[in-house]
């Protein structure tokens, strides 16, 4: 596969070949939505780390579609901030700055506090059952050799999305979904030390507070949970050496 051109300072991570294994049905022509979802999944599962060059020609071969269709899927992902479209260079997996990382978690604390209040006010028994089942999935994934760390992290993030969806506010849920996805990129880039066992336990403690109707205690629990996740990040501006180490670690 041809090598990527030398990157500008805004895309300094090594631009390795694509690592997308499509999950769409190979007997059917992939839709724009399916291509976008497949690429988004590859990003969140760390197969496409921050800074990866997403070549339209290569993706077209992977999915058996035109570059026009690929470009439409990439534009959709750029609206969700998962990728960055750089004029005259192409599409790259987004590489959030330290400032952006702090802003994302700050905004999550604001939005998810409102999510908690709405959830307690509107949740039905089936909503609690769904979230309790999700926590059981998390705990199952935490068993030794059960799943990869990436799958565990995605399950933990999905809890927040499911909570937002249960409020019935589609716009709020969409915003939370975008911020959770961006948080996954941030955790990948800034080497999160988040303890999955601790995070899942905090989800369970939080849900018990919701069930008992303790609104402010539940809000405080969610806020502290997000603050701990942010504190687990190494939020320092990385130089080229650390970026190369990141790529080498993902390829090992």
């Amino acid at each position: 596969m041809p090598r990527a051109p030398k990157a500008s300072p805004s895309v300094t991570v090594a631009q390795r070949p694509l690592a997308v294994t499509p999950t769409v049905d190979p007997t059917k022509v992939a839709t724009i939505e399916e291509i976008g979802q497949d690429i988004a999944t590859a990003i969140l599962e760390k197969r496409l780390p921050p800074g990866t060059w997403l070549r339209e020609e290569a993706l077209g071969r992977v999915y058996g579609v035109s570059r026009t269709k690929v470009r439409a899927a990439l534009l959709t992902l750029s609206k969700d901030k998962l990728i960055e479209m750089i004029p005259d260079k192409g599409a790259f997996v987004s590489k959030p700055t330290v400032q952006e990382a702090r802003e994302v978690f700050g905004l999550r604390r604001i939005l998810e506090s409102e999510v908690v209040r709405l959830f307690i006010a509107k949740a039905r028994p089936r909503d609690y059952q769904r979230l309790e089942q999700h926590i059981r999935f998390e705990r199952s994934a935490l068993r030794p050799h059960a799943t990869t760390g990436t799958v565990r992290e995605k399950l933990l993030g999905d809890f927040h999305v499911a909570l937002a969806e249960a409020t019935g506010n589609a716009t709020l849920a969409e915003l939370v979904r975008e911020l959770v996805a961006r948080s996954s990129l941030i955790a990948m880039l800034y080497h999160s030390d988040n303890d999955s066992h601790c995070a899942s336990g905090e989800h369970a403690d939080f849900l018990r507070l919701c069930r008992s109707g303790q609104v402010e205690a539940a809000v405080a629990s969610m806020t502290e949970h997000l603050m701990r996740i942010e504190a687990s990040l190494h939020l320092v501006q990385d130089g080229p050496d650390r970026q190369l180490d990141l790529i080498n670690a993902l390829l090992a």
Side-chain angles (χ1 to χ4, degrees), residues 64-77:
V65 298
S66 67
R67 292 179 62 179
T68 300
K69 209 167 191 178
V70 168
R71 190 176 301 116
L74 294 175
L75 284 171
T76 299
L77 293 177

Side-chain angles (χ1 to χ4, degrees), residues 13 76 92 98 120 144 194 206 211 220 228:
V13 172
T76 299
F92 297 82
V98 168
I120 293 175
N194 185 32
F206 159 78
R211 266 197 178 279
R228 186 191 60 75

Side-chain angles (χ1 to χ4, degrees), residues 25 29-31 40 54 60 119 179 196 200 203 210 225-226 237 251:
D25 187 342
V29 177
T31 65
L54 301 173
F119 175 77
L179 291 172
S196 298
S200 185
H203 286 170
C210 291
H225 173 64
L226 293 172
Q237 291 289 5
L251 291 174

Side-chain angles (χ1 to χ4, degrees), residues 3 19-20 23 32 37 49 102 116 130 143 162 170-171 194 219 240 247:
R3 288 166 47 187
V20 180
T23 57
I32 292 171
Q37 183 58 53
R102 295 195 185 283
V116 173
R130 178 188 176 196
R143 294 172 187 163
T171 302
N194 185 32
V219 169
I247 297 300

Side-chain angles (χ1 to χ4, degrees), residues 103-121:
E103 289 173 356
V104 164
F105 277 94
L107 186 54
R108 282 190 66 180
R109 287 193 292 273
I110 294 170
L111 288 180
E112 294 193 50
S113 292
E114 182 61 18
V115 165
V116 173
R117 292 188 173 92
L118 286 174
F119 175 77
I120 293 175

